[in-house]
Amino acid sequence: MTKVVTGTDLAARINMQTARRLAQLPQPARLTVLSDGSGPAAAYAQRITGAGDRLGIAVTLLGYSDRTLVDLAQGDEPVLALLPLPDGLTRAMLSEAIGADRDVEGLHPAHLGQLVLASPTLVPPTAQAALYLAEALAGTLKGKTVTVVGASAVVGCPLTLLLLAAEATVSVAHAATGDLIALTHAADIVISAAGVPGLITAAHIRPGAIIVDVGLTRTDAGLCGDVDITSVMGKAAARTHVPDGVGPVTTACLMRNVVDLAARKQDPTNRA
């Protein structure tokens, strides 16, 4: 029987720690979220706003505009820029305008460079959430074989670095991978962040494998992950629920990052 796991309890524990740290700040923490208001981004923005309300973090939702980069450069609060980005705007342009001290996603080169050095200053929240859930389901990741499906800068690449730091043996599949089944079927743990509904089926996993489903796509049937849940039931030992598996933990990690940045700004000697 396949165990279906949510991240609700784990997210609640992270949020309790964040709330305690937030109460110690001399000033409130704030976050600006940029979104075009469509697809999974809309659901994520709604989750973030609700989490901010519960924790006491002021969240401002804004759309993209021709003045986005100018406005970002003039601001001072942490910023989260949700995909899809409008035409003509790139991650690199956003990182330059936001700066490392306000980059709540941990995607600025300064943060990613520290992640490569296994000395992270701020970790991308979705990658961190996927790692936490893999550890919750599998225990120590040391020596485990893990296949990451998807090599984006937001999830796949930083997650691979986190898994390597945890001493897992990691394979990474991407759009040019010729034999996805061969990679995933060899793994103790499959973490899929491809954004392709139903991509991972029973053929992709070996009996007793663990699946962490990071994918999130809005379809006519609602929000779907990368895993064909009917197919893998009974073969996988455990899989995360969509959208309540990785999703709540990602939001909790994001809010923790907001407080980290606020603490550093309000007390430059605080590098927690």
Side-chain angles (χ1 to χ4, degrees):
M1 187 67 178
T2 299
K3 182 179 181 181
V4 180
V5 179
T6 72
T8 305
D9 290 343
L10 176 55
R13 291 195 295 272
I14 296 170
N15 285 331
M16 285 179 61
Q17 297 168 358
T18 299
R20 286 195 292 268
R21 294 188 58 219
L22 189 61
Q24 297 171 355
L25 294 180
Q27 301 173 26
R30 296 178 294 146
L31 172 66
T32 293
V33 177
L34 293 172
S35 171
D36 73 352
S38 67
Y44 189 24
Q46 186 176 35
R47 191 188 290 269
I48 292 167
T49 301
D53 288 343
R54 289 188 293 273
L55 287 168
I57 295 173
V59 178
T60 301
L61 297 178
L62 297 176
Y64 292 103
S65 72
D66 293 339
R67 283 186 49 85
T68 293
L69 293 179
V70 174
D71 292 341
L72 287 179
Q74 294 174 346
D76 63 355
E77 70 285 340
V79 176
L80 172 66
L82 298 179
L83 298 176
L85 301 180
D87 291 342
L89 192 59
T90 66
R91 282 282 179 188
M93 295 163 66
L94 284 169
S95 288
E96 182 177 355
I98 295 169
D101 291 342
R102 298 164 55 214
D103 167 36
V104 76
E105 276 195 288
L107 298 177
H108 189 279
H111 296 310
L112 290 178
Q114 290 300 119
L115 191 57
V116 170
L117 296 173
S119 182
T121 50
L122 204 74
V123 177
T126 307
Q128 183 72 84
L131 180 80
Y132 282 163
L133 282 166
E135 290 174 331
L137 293 174
T140 179
L141 299 181
K142 184 175 182 178
K144 295 289 196 308
T145 55
V146 183
T147 295
V148 177
V149 183
S152 72
V154 178
V155 184
C157 286
L159 175 57
T160 298
L161 294 171
L162 291 171
L163 290 165
L164 289 172
E167 299 185 272
T169 299
V170 188
S171 298
V172 182
H174 46 74
T177 296
D179 192 347
L180 178 61
I181 289 178
L183 282 181
T184 55
H185 203 274
D188 300 313
I189 304 167
V190 176
I191 305 177
S192 188
V196 180
L199 175 66
I200 305 300
T201 68
H204 290 83
I205 61 168
R206 67 188 189 198
I210 289 169
I211 308 173
V212 178
D213 193 350
V214 185
L216 192 64
T217 305
R218 186 178 293 279
T219 69
D220 292 341
L223 293 173
C224 298
D226 289 351
V227 177
D228 182 337
I229 57 177
T230 301
S231 176
V232 303
M233 290 303 287
K235 189 173 184 181
R239 69 168 180 86
T240 57
H241 186 272
V242 174
D244 294 323
V246 175
V249 185
T250 295
T251 303
C253 290
L254 175 73
M255 291 301 170
R256 184 174 63 187
N257 283 358
V258 172
V259 174
D260 283 346
L261 291 178
R264 295 173 193 182
K265 178 183 176 183
Q266 296 175 28
D267 180 3
T269 64
N270 185 343
R271 306 307 297 173

